[in-house]
Amino acid sequence: MTSAPFTGRETSLIRTSLAVVAPQATEMTVYFYAVLFARYPQVRGLFPDNMDVQRDRLLRGLLRIIDLVDDVDNLVRFCSRLGRDHRKFGALEAHYPAVGECLLAALARYAGTAWNSETAAAWTHAYTVAAQVMTAAAADDTRLRPATWQAQIVRHEHRGDGLAEITVRTDLPYPYVAGQYVSMETPWYPRTWRHYSPAHPPRADHTLTFHVRAVHRGQVSNALVHHAAPGDLVRLGPPQGDMTLASAGDRDLLLVAGGTGLAPIRALLEEAAASGMRRYAELFVGARTARELYGLDDMLRLAQRHHWLTVRAAVSHEDIPGQKGTLPQVLREFGPWNQHEAFLCGPPGMVTAAVHTLLDQGALESRIHHDPLDTPVLNAPLTPPRAAQEIDQL
């Protein structure tokens, strides 16, 4: 960091004033954006038309920074990630002072008697450090890769039940690893980004295929499933995520997929097959009904070609031959899994319950891999999985 470390007094002042503001957090963020757009109307174009999600994102990002204010290493990691991610929004170094000015104005308005010159100085220090780290990380990232990749939809196939397989071709090579996820912006909702995982390892022709399910009130997913067509253009942000085979060591694999969570799991298995993997892999695919078990036939065919792969399906809301129950229930029945490296992807509730099941059976937390369950840039772990695993083995 380029600024002096935070003192205990500064940390106390920041957290105390934030605790005062917390009950009024929604009103404060509304006020912040109102002031920002009134004083600096030129920045309005960086934000989506619907600001509801963005307001929540600002608050949670601020809370994470304050939570890390006395953990310098992780504070730098988090702010570096934010800085790199903000490139796709078009954020420039010149925007940071404007945001800081309006943020302090909003805090001062809602902190009441907890706000004074000493508190303002502490917050100024915190924001200055965060902004310096973010801009430095963005500048470094600029030298390595584009902020975004333009991609054209070249194939759009409906798979029923509100599911579509969408293949895009990027204008430049897109460097990702099987198991990672991608942020995507569509022309129908500018500056609104949603995350999807490629369903395969990298291809030589620069194409990526995503499995997208239209969710209730999901503007982007519904647009992609029901309105997108070949020829439409989208933008992709840089690849993210650590749910890759590189983190698995030489252990056998447990793979758990619910719904469109099969996409990155499938990518991992295809990469394992291409690499001539000699470990065993057990795949569990779950859905509410048999009709929703999309992609299962492809996985069964893959298992026929590779003796090391076992595939099981679980259905929770229909009586059919095979496994009955939710994925966490079926995992418990076939466990324990404490000797495996586990990869989970699917609805947040399923992933959370499956993690608890594996931990109850003695699995190490560092051997359980899944993508962040909410906004990745705000919630992804700050310690790389391999480092965490090595700590567990000390």
mmCIF file of all heavy atoms in Angstrom, residues 136-184:
data_model
loop_
_atom_site.group_PDB
_atom_site.id
_atom_site.type_symbol
_atom_site.label_atom_id
_atom_site.label_comp_id
_atom_site.label_asym_id
_atom_site.label_seq_id
_atom_site.Cartn_x
_atom_site.Cartn_y
_atom_site.Cartn_z
ATOM 1 N N ALA A 136 -4.238 1.067 -9.054
ATOM 2 C CA ALA A 136 -2.973 0.401 -9.398
ATOM 3 C C ALA A 136 -3.233 -0.967 -10.010
ATOM 4 O O ALA A 136 -2.596 -1.362 -11.001
ATOM 5 C CB ALA A 136 -2.096 0.274 -8.156
ATOM 6 N N ALA A 137 -4.197 -1.711 -9.431
ATOM 7 C CA ALA A 137 -4.520 -3.027 -9.965
ATOM 8 C C ALA A 137 -5.109 -2.917 -11.364
ATOM 9 O O ALA A 137 -4.800 -3.725 -12.252
ATOM 10 C CB ALA A 137 -5.498 -3.750 -9.031
ATOM 11 N N ALA A 138 -5.957 -1.913 -11.572
ATOM 12 C CA ALA A 138 -6.543 -1.717 -12.901
ATOM 13 C C ALA A 138 -5.464 -1.372 -13.918
ATOM 14 O O ALA A 138 -5.483 -1.866 -15.059
ATOM 15 C CB ALA A 138 -7.592 -0.612 -12.842
ATOM 16 N N ALA A 139 -4.506 -0.525 -13.530
ATOM 17 C CA ALA A 139 -3.420 -0.147 -14.447
ATOM 18 C C ALA A 139 -2.570 -1.356 -14.806
ATOM 19 O O ALA A 139 -2.193 -1.552 -15.974
ATOM 20 C CB ALA A 139 -2.559 0.939 -13.814
ATOM 21 N N ASP A 140 -2.267 -2.206 -13.822
ATOM 22 C CA ASP A 140 -1.498 -3.421 -14.090
ATOM 23 C C ASP A 140 -2.266 -4.349 -15.028
ATOM 24 O O ASP A 140 -1.695 -4.952 -15.940
ATOM 25 C CB ASP A 140 -1.180 -4.156 -12.783
ATOM 26 C CG ASP A 140 -0.152 -3.421 -11.933
ATOM 27 O OD1 ASP A 140 0.558 -2.557 -12.487
ATOM 28 O OD2 ASP A 140 -0.067 -3.710 -10.725
ATOM 29 N N ASP A 141 -3.573 -4.481 -14.782
ATOM 30 C CA ASP A 141 -4.402 -5.370 -15.591
ATOM 31 C C ASP A 141 -4.500 -4.891 -17.036
ATOM 32 O O ASP A 141 -4.574 -5.692 -17.966
ATOM 33 C CB ASP A 141 -5.796 -5.472 -14.969
ATOM 34 C CG ASP A 141 -6.539 -6.726 -15.389
ATOM 35 O OD1 ASP A 141 -5.970 -7.830 -15.259
ATOM 36 O OD2 ASP A 141 -7.680 -6.610 -15.854
ATOM 37 N N THR A 142 -4.473 -3.575 -17.204
ATOM 38 C CA THR A 142 -4.547 -2.994 -18.552
ATOM 39 C C THR A 142 -3.385 -3.458 -19.418
ATOM 40 O O THR A 142 -3.521 -3.636 -20.633
ATOM 41 C CB THR A 142 -4.568 -1.456 -18.467
ATOM 42 O OG1 THR A 142 -5.713 -1.052 -17.718
ATOM 43 C CG2 THR A 142 -4.623 -0.823 -19.837
ATOM 44 N N ARG A 143 -2.241 -3.653 -18.793
ATOM 45 C CA ARG A 143 -1.064 -4.084 -19.544
ATOM 46 C C ARG A 143 -1.120 -5.561 -19.920
ATOM 47 O O ARG A 143 -0.344 -6.023 -20.763
ATOM 48 C CB ARG A 143 0.197 -3.797 -18.723
ATOM 49 C CG ARG A 143 0.511 -2.304 -18.590
ATOM 50 C CD ARG A 143 1.851 -2.071 -17.926
ATOM 51 N NE ARG A 143 1.779 -2.233 -16.479
ATOM 52 C CZ ARG A 143 1.483 -1.244 -15.633
ATOM 53 N NH1 ARG A 143 1.218 -0.028 -16.117
ATOM 54 N NH2 ARG A 143 1.459 -1.453 -14.342
ATOM 55 N N LEU A 144 -2.021 -6.313 -19.276
ATOM 56 C CA LEU A 144 -2.066 -7.761 -19.483
ATOM 57 C C LEU A 144 -3.169 -8.222 -20.422
ATOM 58 O O LEU A 144 -3.005 -9.201 -21.150
ATOM 59 C CB LEU A 144 -2.240 -8.472 -18.127
ATOM 60 C CG LEU A 144 -1.137 -8.265 -17.095
ATOM 61 C CD1 LEU A 144 -1.531 -8.933 -15.782
ATOM 62 C CD2 LEU A 144 0.182 -8.828 -17.606
ATOM 63 N N ARG A 145 -4.331 -7.516 -20.421
ATOM 64 C CA ARG A 145 -5.481 -8.032 -21.174
ATOM 65 C C ARG A 145 -6.496 -6.921 -21.390
ATOM 66 O O ARG A 145 -6.458 -5.883 -20.713
ATOM 67 C CB ARG A 145 -6.132 -9.193 -20.418
ATOM 68 C CG ARG A 145 -6.593 -8.822 -19.009
ATOM 69 C CD ARG A 145 -7.083 -10.036 -18.253
ATOM 70 N NE ARG A 145 -7.541 -9.676 -16.912
ATOM 71 C CZ ARG A 145 -8.021 -10.551 -16.029
ATOM 72 N NH1 ARG A 145 -8.110 -11.830 -16.363
ATOM 73 N NH2 ARG A 145 -8.405 -10.154 -14.838
ATOM 74 N N PRO A 146 -7.446 -7.145 -22.291
ATOM 75 C CA PRO A 146 -8.498 -6.147 -22.492
ATOM 76 C C PRO A 146 -9.412 -6.064 -21.274
ATOM 77 O O PRO A 146 -9.452 -6.988 -20.447
ATOM 78 C CB PRO A 146 -9.275 -6.698 -23.707
ATOM 79 C CG PRO A 146 -8.434 -7.768 -24.294
ATOM 80 C CD PRO A 146 -7.568 -8.297 -23.201
ATOM 81 N N ALA A 147 -10.161 -4.989 -21.192
ATOM 82 C CA ALA A 147 -11.169 -4.885 -20.131
ATOM 83 C C ALA A 147 -12.354 -5.798 -20.434
ATOM 84 O O ALA A 147 -12.949 -6.393 -19.525
ATOM 85 C CB ALA A 147 -11.652 -3.441 -19.997
ATOM 86 N N THR A 148 -12.712 -5.914 -21.707
ATOM 87 C CA THR A 148 -13.820 -6.769 -22.132
ATOM 88 C C THR A 148 -13.496 -7.379 -23.484
ATOM 89 O O THR A 148 -12.600 -6.899 -24.204
ATOM 90 C CB THR A 148 -15.154 -5.992 -22.250
ATOM 91 O OG1 THR A 148 -15.015 -4.975 -23.253
ATOM 92 C CG2 THR A 148 -15.540 -5.356 -20.919
ATOM 93 N N TRP A 149 -14.232 -8.426 -23.818
ATOM 94 C CA TRP A 149 -14.136 -9.061 -25.120
ATOM 95 C C TRP A 149 -15.510 -8.970 -25.783
ATOM 96 O O TRP A 149 -16.529 -9.332 -25.170
ATOM 97 C CB TRP A 149 -13.762 -10.532 -25.000
ATOM 98 C CG TRP A 149 -12.337 -10.813 -24.646
ATOM 99 C CD1 TRP A 149 -11.363 -11.282 -25.483
ATOM 100 C CD2 TRP A 149 -11.714 -10.684 -23.360
ATOM 101 N NE1 TRP A 149 -10.182 -11.444 -24.800
ATOM 102 C CE2 TRP A 149 -10.374 -11.089 -23.492
ATOM 103 C CE3 TRP A 149 -12.171 -10.262 -22.106
ATOM 104 C CZ2 TRP A 149 -9.478 -11.082 -22.428
ATOM 105 C CZ3 TRP A 149 -11.287 -10.252 -21.036
ATOM 106 C CH2 TRP A 149 -9.959 -10.654 -21.202
ATOM 107 N N GLN A 150 -15.556 -8.496 -27.030
ATOM 108 C CA GLN A 150 -16.819 -8.540 -27.762
ATOM 109 C C GLN A 150 -17.005 -9.941 -28.325
ATOM 110 O O GLN A 150 -16.052 -10.566 -28.796
ATOM 111 C CB GLN A 150 -16.834 -7.517 -28.889
ATOM 112 C CG GLN A 150 -18.144 -7.482 -29.663
ATOM 113 C CD GLN A 150 -18.237 -6.308 -30.612
ATOM 114 O OE1 GLN A 150 -18.550 -5.192 -30.224
ATOM 115 N NE2 GLN A 150 -17.923 -6.565 -31.870
ATOM 116 N N ALA A 151 -18.238 -10.423 -28.265
ATOM 117 C CA ALA A 151 -18.518 -11.768 -28.763
ATOM 118 C C ALA A 151 -19.841 -11.763 -29.526
ATOM 119 O O ALA A 151 -20.791 -11.078 -29.128
ATOM 120 C CB ALA A 151 -18.579 -12.766 -27.606
ATOM 121 N N GLN A 152 -19.891 -12.521 -30.586
ATOM 122 C CA GLN A 152 -21.111 -12.640 -31.385
ATOM 123 C C GLN A 152 -21.748 -14.006 -31.155
ATOM 124 O O GLN A 152 -21.061 -15.032 -31.130
ATOM 125 C CB GLN A 152 -20.803 -12.473 -32.870
ATOM 126 C CG GLN A 152 -22.040 -12.510 -33.769
ATOM 127 C CD GLN A 152 -21.689 -12.295 -35.229
ATOM 128 O OE1 GLN A 152 -20.921 -13.058 -35.815
ATOM 129 N NE2 GLN A 152 -22.231 -11.234 -35.813
ATOM 130 N N ILE A 153 -23.057 -13.993 -30.959
ATOM 131 C CA ILE A 153 -23.774 -15.258 -30.823
ATOM 132 C C ILE A 153 -23.794 -15.944 -32.188
ATOM 133 O O ILE A 153 -24.248 -15.362 -33.176
ATOM 134 C CB ILE A 153 -25.208 -15.027 -30.313
ATOM 135 C CG1 ILE A 153 -25.168 -14.423 -28.895
ATOM 136 C CG2 ILE A 153 -26.007 -16.337 -30.308
ATOM 137 C CD1 ILE A 153 -26.537 -14.072 -28.340
ATOM 138 N N VAL A 154 -23.273 -17.172 -32.237
ATOM 139 C CA VAL A 154 -23.215 -17.901 -33.507
ATOM 140 C C VAL A 154 -24.162 -19.100 -33.526
ATOM 141 O O VAL A 154 -24.442 -19.653 -34.596
ATOM 142 C CB VAL A 154 -21.772 -18.370 -33.815
ATOM 143 C CG1 VAL A 154 -20.858 -17.170 -34.025
ATOM 144 C CG2 VAL A 154 -21.227 -19.259 -32.693
ATOM 145 N N ARG A 155 -24.648 -19.504 -32.346
ATOM 146 C CA ARG A 155 -25.625 -20.588 -32.294
ATOM 147 C C ARG A 155 -26.501 -20.413 -31.058
ATOM 148 O O ARG A 155 -26.007 -20.056 -29.980
ATOM 149 C CB ARG A 155 -24.945 -21.943 -32.261
ATOM 150 C CG ARG A 155 -25.918 -23.118 -32.474
ATOM 151 C CD ARG A 155 -25.213 -24.450 -32.703
ATOM 152 N NE ARG A 155 -24.538 -24.934 -31.516
ATOM 153 C CZ ARG A 155 -23.218 -24.984 -31.342
ATOM 154 N NH1 ARG A 155 -22.413 -24.560 -32.322
ATOM 155 N NH2 ARG A 155 -22.691 -25.448 -30.240
ATOM 156 N N HIS A 156 -27.800 -20.647 -31.204
ATOM 157 C CA HIS A 156 -28.755 -20.525 -30.097
ATOM 158 C C HIS A 156 -29.727 -21.695 -30.206
ATOM 159 O O HIS A 156 -30.504 -21.780 -31.161
ATOM 160 C CB HIS A 156 -29.495 -19.191 -30.194
ATOM 161 C CG HIS A 156 -30.356 -18.884 -29.000
ATOM 162 N ND1 HIS A 156 -31.523 -19.570 -28.717
ATOM 163 C CD2 HIS A 156 -30.208 -17.962 -28.004
ATOM 164 C CE1 HIS A 156 -32.065 -19.084 -27.614
ATOM 165 N NE2 HIS A 156 -31.286 -18.098 -27.166
ATOM 166 N N GLU A 157 -29.683 -22.609 -29.238
ATOM 167 C CA GLU A 157 -30.506 -23.813 -29.279
ATOM 168 C C GLU A 157 -31.338 -23.926 -28.013
ATOM 169 O O GLU A 157 -30.788 -23.932 -26.902
ATOM 170 C CB GLU A 157 -29.624 -25.049 -29.430
ATOM 171 C CG GLU A 157 -28.768 -25.065 -30.682
ATOM 172 C CD GLU A 157 -27.910 -26.308 -30.768
ATOM 173 O OE1 GLU A 157 -28.468 -27.403 -30.921
ATOM 174 O OE2 GLU A 157 -26.678 -26.171 -30.658
ATOM 175 N N HIS A 158 -32.651 -24.013 -28.175
ATOM 176 C CA HIS A 158 -33.540 -24.224 -27.033
ATOM 177 C C HIS A 158 -33.507 -25.685 -26.626
ATOM 178 O O HIS A 158 -33.567 -26.585 -27.467
ATOM 179 C CB HIS A 158 -34.971 -23.807 -27.392
ATOM 180 C CG HIS A 158 -35.139 -22.318 -27.500
ATOM 181 N ND1 HIS A 158 -35.272 -21.510 -26.388
ATOM 182 C CD2 HIS A 158 -35.178 -21.499 -28.586
ATOM 183 C CE1 HIS A 158 -35.395 -20.251 -26.786
ATOM 184 N NE2 HIS A 158 -35.343 -20.212 -28.110
ATOM 185 N N ARG A 159 -33.421 -25.919 -25.309
ATOM 186 C CA ARG A 159 -33.385 -27.272 -24.770
ATOM 187 C C ARG A 159 -34.605 -27.602 -23.931
ATOM 188 O O ARG A 159 -34.640 -28.616 -23.248
ATOM 189 C CB ARG A 159 -32.107 -27.463 -23.928
ATOM 190 C CG ARG A 159 -30.816 -27.361 -24.719
ATOM 191 C CD ARG A 159 -30.757 -28.406 -25.810
ATOM 192 N NE ARG A 159 -29.469 -28.439 -26.492
ATOM 193 C CZ ARG A 159 -29.232 -29.135 -27.591
ATOM 194 N NH1 ARG A 159 -30.222 -29.844 -28.146
ATOM 195 N NH2 ARG A 159 -28.051 -29.125 -28.148
ATOM 196 N N GLY A 160 -35.625 -26.744 -23.956
ATOM 197 C CA GLY A 160 -36.836 -26.987 -23.188
ATOM 198 C C GLY A 160 -36.702 -26.519 -21.754
ATOM 199 O O GLY A 160 -35.598 -26.289 -21.241
ATOM 200 N N ASP A 161 -37.853 -26.356 -21.069
ATOM 201 C CA ASP A 161 -37.876 -25.935 -19.662
ATOM 202 C C ASP A 161 -37.115 -24.639 -19.434
ATOM 203 O O ASP A 161 -36.419 -24.476 -18.419
ATOM 204 C CB ASP A 161 -37.306 -27.038 -18.754
ATOM 205 C CG ASP A 161 -38.193 -28.272 -18.745
ATOM 206 O OD1 ASP A 161 -39.420 -28.119 -18.606
ATOM 207 O OD2 ASP A 161 -37.656 -29.387 -18.889
ATOM 208 N N GLY A 162 -37.221 -23.711 -20.397
ATOM 209 C CA GLY A 162 -36.582 -22.408 -20.227
ATOM 210 C C GLY A 162 -35.079 -22.437 -20.291
ATOM 211 O O GLY A 162 -34.417 -21.534 -19.762
ATOM 212 N N LEU A 163 -34.511 -23.443 -20.936
ATOM 213 C CA LEU A 163 -33.059 -23.598 -21.021
ATOM 214 C C LEU A 163 -32.599 -23.429 -22.464
ATOM 215 O O LEU A 163 -33.243 -23.920 -23.387
ATOM 216 C CB LEU A 163 -32.650 -24.979 -20.510
ATOM 217 C CG LEU A 163 -31.161 -25.315 -20.554
ATOM 218 C CD1 LEU A 163 -30.417 -24.523 -19.494
ATOM 219 C CD2 LEU A 163 -30.958 -26.814 -20.329
ATOM 220 N N ALA A 164 -31.500 -22.718 -22.633
ATOM 221 C CA ALA A 164 -30.911 -22.561 -23.961
ATOM 222 C C ALA A 164 -29.407 -22.773 -23.890
ATOM 223 O O ALA A 164 -28.763 -22.406 -22.902
ATOM 224 C CB ALA A 164 -31.215 -21.173 -24.524
ATOM 225 N N GLU A 165 -28.870 -23.382 -24.938
ATOM 226 C CA GLU A 165 -27.417 -23.461 -25.117
ATOM 227 C C GLU A 165 -27.033 -22.363 -26.104
ATOM 228 O O GLU A 165 -27.509 -22.333 -27.243
ATOM 229 C CB GLU A 165 -27.003 -24.829 -25.648
ATOM 230 C CG GLU A 165 -27.131 -25.930 -24.616
ATOM 231 C CD GLU A 165 -26.527 -27.246 -25.090
ATOM 232 O OE1 GLU A 165 -25.777 -27.220 -26.099
ATOM 233 O OE2 GLU A 165 -26.819 -28.274 -24.474
ATOM 234 N N ILE A 166 -26.179 -21.467 -25.643
ATOM 235 C CA ILE A 166 -25.815 -20.296 -26.438
ATOM 236 C C ILE A 166 -24.316 -20.321 -26.691
ATOM 237 O O ILE A 166 -23.522 -20.338 -25.738
ATOM 238 C CB ILE A 166 -26.228 -19.007 -25.711
ATOM 239 C CG1 ILE A 166 -27.744 -19.005 -25.472
ATOM 240 C CG2 ILE A 166 -25.795 -17.781 -26.501
ATOM 241 C CD1 ILE A 166 -28.219 -17.876 -24.587
ATOM 242 N N THR A 167 -23.950 -20.325 -27.951
ATOM 243 C CA THR A 167 -22.538 -20.337 -28.326
ATOM 244 C C THR A 167 -22.156 -18.986 -28.910
ATOM 245 O O THR A 167 -22.854 -18.452 -29.778
ATOM 246 C CB THR A 167 -22.246 -21.441 -29.356
ATOM 247 O OG1 THR A 167 -22.583 -22.708 -28.791
ATOM 248 C CG2 THR A 167 -20.774 -21.448 -29.745
ATOM 249 N N VAL A 168 -21.053 -18.426 -28.400
ATOM 250 C CA VAL A 168 -20.555 -17.143 -28.881
ATOM 251 C C VAL A 168 -19.132 -17.320 -29.384
ATOM 252 O O VAL A 168 -18.415 -18.239 -28.980
ATOM 253 C CB VAL A 168 -20.602 -16.064 -27.774
ATOM 254 C CG1 VAL A 168 -21.990 -15.949 -27.176
ATOM 255 C CG2 VAL A 168 -19.575 -16.369 -26.678
ATOM 256 N N ARG A 169 -18.735 -16.410 -30.278
ATOM 257 C CA ARG A 169 -17.347 -16.391 -30.735
ATOM 258 C C ARG A 169 -16.766 -15.021 -30.409
ATOM 259 O O ARG A 169 -17.319 -13.988 -30.778
ATOM 260 C CB ARG A 169 -17.241 -16.655 -32.235
ATOM 261 C CG ARG A 169 -15.788 -16.587 -32.747
ATOM 262 C CD ARG A 169 -15.655 -16.946 -34.223
ATOM 263 N NE ARG A 169 -15.783 -18.391 -34.427
ATOM 264 C CZ ARG A 169 -16.791 -18.976 -35.043
ATOM 265 N NH1 ARG A 169 -17.800 -18.239 -35.515
ATOM 266 N NH2 ARG A 169 -16.823 -20.280 -35.203
ATOM 267 N N THR A 170 -15.650 -14.997 -29.694
ATOM 268 C CA THR A 170 -15.040 -13.740 -29.276
ATOM 269 C C THR A 170 -14.200 -13.142 -30.399
ATOM 270 O O THR A 170 -13.691 -13.853 -31.280
ATOM 271 C CB THR A 170 -14.157 -13.936 -28.036
ATOM 272 O OG1 THR A 170 -13.163 -14.938 -28.313
ATOM 273 C CG2 THR A 170 -15.004 -14.388 -26.859
ATOM 274 N N ASP A 171 -14.045 -11.812 -30.343
ATOM 275 C CA ASP A 171 -13.247 -11.127 -31.356
ATOM 276 C C ASP A 171 -11.763 -11.375 -31.162
ATOM 277 O O ASP A 171 -10.978 -11.329 -32.118
ATOM 278 C CB ASP A 171 -13.547 -9.629 -31.342
ATOM 279 C CG ASP A 171 -13.309 -8.991 -29.974
ATOM 280 O OD1 ASP A 171 -13.238 -9.738 -28.961
ATOM 281 O OD2 ASP A 171 -13.223 -7.747 -29.894
ATOM 282 N N LEU A 172 -11.343 -11.642 -29.936
ATOM 283 C CA LEU A 172 -9.947 -11.935 -29.606
ATOM 284 C C LEU A 172 -9.908 -13.247 -28.824
ATOM 285 O O LEU A 172 -10.925 -13.653 -28.248
ATOM 286 C CB LEU A 172 -9.348 -10.812 -28.747
ATOM 287 C CG LEU A 172 -9.286 -9.419 -29.379
ATOM 288 C CD1 LEU A 172 -8.905 -8.389 -28.316
ATOM 289 C CD2 LEU A 172 -8.287 -9.398 -30.525
ATOM 290 N N PRO A 173 -8.775 -13.932 -28.787
ATOM 291 C CA PRO A 173 -8.691 -15.143 -27.963
ATOM 292 C C PRO A 173 -9.111 -14.853 -26.520
ATOM 293 O O PRO A 173 -8.754 -13.808 -25.959
ATOM 294 C CB PRO A 173 -7.208 -15.520 -28.056
ATOM 295 C CG PRO A 173 -6.743 -14.926 -29.346
ATOM 296 C CD PRO A 173 -7.514 -13.652 -29.507
ATOM 297 N N TYR A 174 -9.874 -15.769 -25.947
ATOM 298 C CA TYR A 174 -10.381 -15.575 -24.589
ATOM 299 C C TYR A 174 -9.712 -16.605 -23.681
ATOM 300 O O TYR A 174 -10.043 -17.799 -23.714
ATOM 301 C CB TYR A 174 -11.899 -15.736 -24.564
ATOM 302 C CG TYR A 174 -12.515 -15.364 -23.237
ATOM 303 C CD1 TYR A 174 -12.777 -14.030 -22.927
ATOM 304 C CD2 TYR A 174 -12.809 -16.334 -22.291
ATOM 305 C CE1 TYR A 174 -13.320 -13.680 -21.707
ATOM 306 C CE2 TYR A 174 -13.355 -15.991 -21.064
ATOM 307 C CZ TYR A 174 -13.605 -14.670 -20.777
ATOM 308 O OH TYR A 174 -14.140 -14.334 -19.551
ATOM 309 N N PRO A 175 -8.760 -16.176 -22.850
ATOM 310 C CA PRO A 175 -7.956 -17.115 -22.048
ATOM 311 C C PRO A 175 -8.651 -17.482 -20.731
ATOM 312 O O PRO A 175 -8.687 -16.698 -19.789
ATOM 313 C CB PRO A 175 -6.670 -16.324 -21.776
ATOM 314 C CG PRO A 175 -7.128 -14.888 -21.753
ATOM 315 C CD PRO A 175 -8.298 -14.781 -22.704
ATOM 316 N N TYR A 176 -9.212 -18.661 -20.673
ATOM 317 C CA TYR A 176 -9.820 -19.126 -19.432
ATOM 318 C C TYR A 176 -9.437 -20.587 -19.216
ATOM 319 O O TYR A 176 -8.831 -21.228 -20.077
ATOM 320 C CB TYR A 176 -11.344 -18.974 -19.474
ATOM 321 C CG TYR A 176 -12.057 -20.014 -20.307
ATOM 322 C CD1 TYR A 176 -12.659 -21.123 -19.710
ATOM 323 C CD2 TYR A 176 -12.130 -19.908 -21.700
ATOM 324 C CE1 TYR A 176 -13.303 -22.088 -20.473
ATOM 325 C CE2 TYR A 176 -12.765 -20.864 -22.465
ATOM 326 C CZ TYR A 176 -13.355 -21.955 -21.848
ATOM 327 O OH TYR A 176 -13.987 -22.915 -22.606
ATOM 328 N N VAL A 177 -9.789 -21.101 -18.050
ATOM 329 C CA VAL A 177 -9.505 -22.487 -17.689
ATOM 330 C C VAL A 177 -10.825 -23.174 -17.393
ATOM 331 O O VAL A 177 -11.742 -22.559 -16.826
ATOM 332 C CB VAL A 177 -8.576 -22.547 -16.443
ATOM 333 C CG1 VAL A 177 -8.321 -23.989 -16.023
ATOM 334 C CG2 VAL A 177 -7.261 -21.829 -16.732
ATOM 335 N N ALA A 178 -10.960 -24.440 -17.757
ATOM 336 C CA ALA A 178 -12.181 -25.192 -17.486
ATOM 337 C C ALA A 178 -12.554 -25.079 -16.008
ATOM 338 O O ALA A 178 -11.715 -25.261 -15.122
ATOM 339 C CB ALA A 178 -11.989 -26.661 -17.865
ATOM 340 N N GLY A 179 -13.826 -24.764 -15.759
ATOM 341 C CA GLY A 179 -14.318 -24.596 -14.398
ATOM 342 C C GLY A 179 -14.492 -23.144 -13.997
ATOM 343 O O GLY A 179 -15.173 -22.858 -13.008
ATOM 344 N N GLN A 180 -13.891 -22.215 -14.747
ATOM 345 C CA GLN A 180 -14.045 -20.799 -14.419
ATOM 346 C C GLN A 180 -15.388 -20.268 -14.930
ATOM 347 O O GLN A 180 -16.082 -20.924 -15.703
ATOM 348 C CB GLN A 180 -12.897 -19.983 -15.012
ATOM 349 C CG GLN A 180 -11.559 -20.226 -14.327
ATOM 350 C CD GLN A 180 -10.504 -19.245 -14.766
ATOM 351 O OE1 GLN A 180 -10.198 -19.126 -15.960
ATOM 352 N NE2 GLN A 180 -9.923 -18.525 -13.817
ATOM 353 N N TYR A 181 -15.758 -19.069 -14.465
ATOM 354 C CA TYR A 181 -17.005 -18.440 -14.893
ATOM 355 C C TYR A 181 -16.703 -17.088 -15.525
ATOM 356 O O TYR A 181 -15.600 -16.536 -15.390
ATOM 357 C CB TYR A 181 -17.987 -18.294 -13.731
ATOM 358 C CG TYR A 181 -17.424 -17.579 -12.515
ATOM 359 C CD1 TYR A 181 -17.508 -16.201 -12.395
ATOM 360 C CD2 TYR A 181 -16.816 -18.299 -11.482
ATOM 361 C CE1 TYR A 181 -17.000 -15.547 -11.293
ATOM 362 C CE2 TYR A 181 -16.305 -17.652 -10.367
ATOM 363 C CZ TYR A 181 -16.399 -16.287 -10.274
ATOM 364 O OH TYR A 181 -15.882 -15.643 -9.172
ATOM 365 N N VAL A 182 -17.711 -16.558 -16.222
ATOM 366 C CA VAL A 182 -17.540 -15.376 -17.069
ATOM 367 C C VAL A 182 -18.683 -14.405 -16.789
ATOM 368 O O VAL A 182 -19.836 -14.821 -16.672
ATOM 369 C CB VAL A 182 -17.571 -15.782 -18.557
ATOM 370 C CG1 VAL A 182 -17.466 -14.559 -19.459
ATOM 371 C CG2 VAL A 182 -16.468 -16.794 -18.865
ATOM 372 N N SER A 183 -18.385 -13.120 -16.671
ATOM 373 C CA SER A 183 -19.445 -12.114 -16.593
ATOM 374 C C SER A 183 -19.823 -11.696 -18.009
ATOM 375 O O SER A 183 -18.966 -11.542 -18.878
ATOM 376 C CB SER A 183 -18.998 -10.903 -15.764
ATOM 377 O OG SER A 183 -17.818 -10.336 -16.288
ATOM 378 N N MET A 184 -21.142 -11.531 -18.221
ATOM 379 C CA MET A 184 -21.643 -11.219 -19.558
ATOM 380 C C MET A 184 -22.596 -10.032 -19.502
ATOM 381 O O MET A 184 -23.445 -9.950 -18.614
ATOM 382 C CB MET A 184 -22.379 -12.430 -20.154
ATOM 383 C CG MET A 184 -22.912 -12.209 -21.567
ATOM 384 S SD MET A 184 -23.930 -13.597 -22.186
ATOM 385 C CE MET A 184 -22.744 -14.932 -22.167
#
